[in-house]
Amino acid sequence: MRLMAGLWLLVLPLCAASLLVGAVWLPPGAALTALFGRGDPLLVLVMQELRLPRAILGAAVGAALGLAGAAMQGYLRNPLAEPGLIGTSAMASLGAVLAIQTGLAAALPLALPGAALAGAGLSVVLVLAMAGPRGGALALILAGIAVSALAGALTSLVLNLSPNPFAANEIVFWMMGSLADRSMLHVQIALPVMAAGVLILWPLGRGLRALSLGEDVAASMGISLPRLRLRLALGTAALVGGATAVAGAIGFVGLVVPHLLRRAVGGDPGRLMAASALGGAAMVLAADIAVRLILPERDLKLGVLTALIGAPFFLHLILRLRRQMP
């Protein structure tokens, strides 16, 4: 309870700070008044159409990635696992890249996030088909690696053959990940998909606890491993696909946050999912605030900052695991 209370006390001020920080600092009183549609019409527009969607998406994207990462690590029983392992983020990125390259993203506001969600859904179909109905964790990992490699190769091919340098430039910047210039339309697109992912993954706590004791023990406790794997793949795809559809590729959140919070929950996968959702929200909100304060005139991308933070942590984690090996 103390951990969850502490995380809430971290997330809520970060949400408030996200509403106040921007190109122009707004006094809290004026910002709050504008948030409820009163006061200067320009401030109302800024708060309701720019900063509020950005704060909501920052919390939602972080929570989705943190929750998916905790579930994936619990299923694979590996602290180095992350939600992109089954190829969802790579396929979602490929869908978005195709929407940008073909011009659909410019013609239809819903084309880019819709294509990204379609790519995420396709990744589940491919991974489950390749892993087979009775495939275990290793088969799921190998299938995910294959799908990620294929999606990455096709994305590179699109960039390589792109005749339009402006489209290629837009693709590159989109793949860096960002919450800038997002609207309530993006919120309406992403939140239902992420909510579906939460509903799918949340009941898996008992199964993941049993699985931590071994697959045989889990099966003896009445846990259906094929059903658990199916729900894990569907829930992770919904969470990561929804996040990627509106924010681009944001890495390392699903890897770093569950690992930082694992000791605080005693290694319980069920409790870790709830804590990681809040921890992920805090991390993305803090990073999004930082990109607005660090080089604001250069538009530092959110995914770049999370990678700069996450990559050294990942290397530290590998080195620590290597020292623990006999």
Side-chain angles (χ1 to χ4, degrees):
M1 290 298 293
R2 290 183 179 179
L3 174 64
M4 297 300 291
L7 289 171
W8 275 113
L9 290 176
L10 181 62
V11 170
L12 293 177
L14 286 171
C15 287
S18 181
L19 292 172
L20 296 176
V21 174
V24 177
W25 169 263
L26 298 180
L32 183 63
T33 300
L35 189 62
F36 288 97
R38 297 191 298 271
D40 187 340
L42 181 59
L43 291 183
V44 171
L45 179 65
V46 169
M47 292 300 299
Q48 292 187 347
E49 299 299 327
L50 295 177
R51 296 192 181 180
L52 180 60
R54 189 165 184 168
I56 293 173
L57 288 176
V61 167
L65 296 176
L67 174 58
M72 187 63 66
Q73 291 181 12
Y75 175 74
L76 298 177
R77 290 164 287 171
N78 189 334
L80 298 180
E82 58 98 20
L85 196 61
I86 60 172
T88 301
S89 57
M91 285 296 292
S93 295
L94 175 61
V97 165
L98 291 174
I100 295 172
Q101 178 59 36
T102 57
L104 288 175
L108 301 172
L110 298 179
L112 192 150
L117 290 174
L122 180 59
S123 73
V124 176
V125 175
L126 292 175
V127 166
L128 293 178
M130 293 171 65
R134 297 186 179 276
L138 180 59
L140 189 71
I141 293 173
L142 293 177
I145 292 173
V147 170
S148 294
L150 175 62
L154 291 176
T155 300
S156 298
L157 180 63
V158 172
L159 283 169
N160 183 217
L161 299 179
S162 175
N164 186 345
F166 298 103
N169 188 58
E170 185 179 355
I171 289 171
V172 170
F173 277 107
W174 184 87
M175 292 180 65
M176 292 180 184
S178 177
L179 292 174
D181 302 324
R182 301 305 188 262
S183 67
M184 291 304 295
L185 179 61
H186 293 90
V187 175
Q188 295 166 6
I189 293 170
L191 285 192
V193 179
M194 294 181 188
V198 172
L199 292 176
I200 295 171
L201 287 185
W202 203 260
L204 299 186
R206 176 176 173 271
L208 295 178
R209 291 188 192 98
L211 191 60
S212 65
L213 302 175
E215 292 187 1
D216 293 337
V217 175
S220 68
M221 296 175 62
I223 302 299
S224 173
L225 296 181
R227 183 180 299 174
L228 178 64
R229 185 190 63 173
L230 175 61
R231 296 191 66 172
L232 177 86
L234 291 174
T236 300
L239 289 172
V240 178
T244 306
V246 295
I250 299 177
F252 290 100
V253 176
L255 169 68
V256 172
V257 173
H259 186 76
L260 289 175
L261 297 173
R262 180 169 284 104
R263 289 187 179 182
V265 299
D268 184 338
R271 293 177 59 198
L272 182 61
M273 288 197 298
S276 295
L278 289 177
M283 180 177 177
V284 173
L285 283 169
D288 188 48
I289 292 170
V291 300
R292 284 180 268 179
L293 297 176
I294 303 172
L295 300 176
E297 70 282 357
R298 299 301 299 271
D299 190 23
L300 179 64
K301 297 300 182 181
L302 179 60
V304 175
L305 183 59
T306 58
L308 289 173
I309 296 171
F313 177 86
F314 186 62
L315 294 175
H316 167 72
L317 179 58
I318 294 174
L319 292 174
R320 194 174 75 177
L321 290 176
R322 191 176 70 178
R323 287 195 297 266
Q324 293 174 354
M325 294 176 64

